[in-house]
Amino acid sequence: MENISKSFKGNQVLDELSFHVNDGEFVTIVGPSGSGKSTLFHLIGGLYTPDSGEIRMDGELMNGQRGAISYTPQSPSLLPWRTVLHNILLGGEIICENNELEAIRMIERAGLKGYEHAYPCELSGGMQQRVSFIRSLMSPQSLICLDEPFSSLDEFTRLDMQNWLLSIWEENKRSILLVTHHIEEALYLSDRIIVLSGKPAKIKKEFIIPFPRPRQESIILSDEFLQWKRTIYNELRGS
């Protein structure tokens, strides 16, 4: 993202925003409500075009181009008439690819063995979200955008899902851009955290997270983790 600005009916949402995601990197964006985080995903996904600036992927200009990213929304958004397996295979079907054996392996890896032919209404919220993320992983795009995918889950289910996400990501190392309001989630998952200001959004601060990988759940209660949480919280409060 190079000097991206976006306004709606004279209301400026983004102001010359610039950042990047490296290959295989996990980057999280945090910011106050209404700071344009969802607008960013709409721009990256080609649903909107920026008023100015350039969106590039592997050097190619992507302004207004759709189909370049894999997207996991806040709600699982599974098609209710398709089974778990056929929801996961959807991205491949769009480009006339079928990788059913890999999909079944990923379903088993997610702890959903035996649910391949179940329908979304037969799954819990956490199970549906796992299916949604596997669908993103099985799509061919190199960048996955996650829009607060665990916001509807309780604290313990959220942590289980974070651990599962990290284990799957460590195996595949896709580039991930996450939007969340949850500071602990951002710290636990990310290589870098980008803090946005209030509207019109600019980048206030960027933090490189020092915790080694694979991440251990015990770091969440460490003094260093709590100090990082305090630092990012204060940065956000200053927005």
Side-chain angles (χ1 to χ4, degrees), residues 16-204:
E16 295 192 348
L17 215 65
S18 296
F19 68 90
H20 69 281
V21 180
N22 293 320
D23 187 32
E25 188 179 27
F26 202 127
V27 176
T28 297
I29 295 175
V30 297
S33 295
S35 60
K37 299 185 293 297
S38 294
T39 299
L40 266 177
F41 276 177
H42 291 151
L43 287 164
I44 296 170
L47 299 178
Y48 301 156
T49 55
D51 299 334
S52 60
E54 295 182 344
I55 303 168
R56 293 187 174 272
M57 185 174 293
D58 296 328
E60 180 182 349
L61 185 66
M62 302 301 295
N63 288 28
Q65 292 192 35
R66 302 185 184 186
I69 66 167
S70 179
Y71 178 65
T72 301
Q74 293 182 27
S75 59
S77 298
L78 303 176
L79 301 179
W81 60 87
R82 293 179 70 113
T83 64
V84 165
L85 178 60
H86 288 112
N87 264 287
I88 288 170
L89 292 173
L90 181 61
E93 286 179 21
I94 292 171
I95 59 168
C96 300
E97 287 185 0
N98 189 323
N99 198 348
E100 187 169 322
L101 290 178
E102 176 64 12
I104 290 172
R105 188 189 74 83
M106 292 292 286
I107 289 170
E108 292 181 2
R109 182 77 172 78
L112 296 173
K113 185 176 181 180
Y115 288 92
E116 296 89 344
H117 304 296
Y119 289 91
C121 64
E122 301 175 84
L123 306 179
S124 69
M127 293 165 74
Q128 290 184 29
Q129 201 64 8
R130 291 184 189 215
V131 174
S132 180
F133 185 69
I134 295 170
R135 180 178 58 188
S136 295
L137 281 175
M138 291 292 296
S139 295
Q141 297 88 351
S142 61
L143 175 65
I144 300 174
C145 290
L146 305 178
D147 189 357
E148 299 192 67
F150 309 137
S151 60
S152 63
L153 304 177
D154 64 77
E155 195 69 24
F156 291 108
T157 305
R158 177 195 288 262
L159 184 57
D160 286 343
M161 286 295 297
Q162 290 167 0
N163 286 327
W164 175 80
L165 169 59
L166 284 177
S167 69
I168 296 292
W169 176 75
E170 291 282 354
E171 183 179 314
N172 292 271
K173 282 291 183 176
R174 301 277 288 280
S175 301
I176 291 182
L177 183 62
L178 167 70
V179 160
T180 183
H181 286 93
H182 200 276
I183 297 174
E184 287 189 4
E185 181 169 86
L187 282 169
Y188 189 50
L189 296 176
S190 309
D191 297 310
R192 278 189 295 130
I193 296 176
I194 295 169
V195 180
L196 297 185
S197 69
K199 196 182 297 182
K202 297 182 178 182
I203 292 178
K204 287 193 67 184

